[in-house]
Amino acid sequence: MSTRTLTAGPLRARLRVAALVALGGVAGANCRYAAALLAPGLPGTLLANVLGAFALGFLVYETLYRGTLSKEVRLLVSTGFLSSFTTYSTFAVQSATARPALLVANVVLTYALGFAAVLAGRTLARRVTGWSA
């Protein structure tokens, strides 16, 4: 099953894909809300985006190295859960409305920690899958 199934194929397959994305989206949105309660404002958004980058980094590299997770699980987690858990729009609004120094710090931290989180996810995927370059 691929994301192309959303626009092609039998109705049942398209509905299954939509249900997987919706289920992951509900879970991701609720976890994002919980993160905002635990760490309101910029810290909560930064935490959600960095954790999401780590998880997506792991998912992408696990797929590349071994691919033991099914396409359905990857769709549920990446397109559903992580898309609802992370939030670029909130990051952009919070950054734009912050004082100039905080705006710069937030953008630099978000991108630096996000890239570092993807690399950490890749490192974990390498260890879990036993892959070596």
Side-chain angles (χ1 to χ4, degrees), residues 57-70 74 125 129:
F58 175 82
L59 190 67
V60 166
Y61 284 101
E62 188 284 332
T63 300
L64 179 66
Y65 299 145
R66 184 171 290 161
T68 54
L69 298 174
S70 69
R74 292 193 310 263
T129 63

Side-chain angles (χ1 to χ4, degrees), residues 32 36 39-46 90 94:
R32 172 69 183 95
L42 290 173
T45 302
L46 178 65
T90 302
Q94 288 174 340

Side-chain angles (χ1 to χ4, degrees), residues 9-95:
L11 178 61
R12 185 178 181 142
R14 290 182 292 171
L15 289 174
R16 186 167 187 246
V17 167
L20 286 170
V21 172
L23 181 63
V26 167
N30 280 293
C31 287
R32 172 69 183 95
Y33 179 70
L37 291 176
L38 293 173
L42 290 173
T45 302
L46 178 65
L47 176 67
N49 288 341
V50 170
L51 289 174
F54 173 79
L56 189 58
F58 175 82
L59 190 67
V60 166
Y61 284 101
E62 188 284 332
T63 300
L64 179 66
Y65 299 145
R66 184 171 290 161
T68 54
L69 298 174
S70 69
K71 289 179 182 178
E72 290 84 358
V73 168
R74 292 193 310 263
L75 189 63
L76 174 94
V77 174
S78 63
T79 305
F81 182 85
L82 292 175
S83 291
S84 291
F85 181 67
T86 60
T87 175
Y88 187 82
S89 58
T90 302
F91 157 72
V93 169
Q94 288 174 340
S95 296

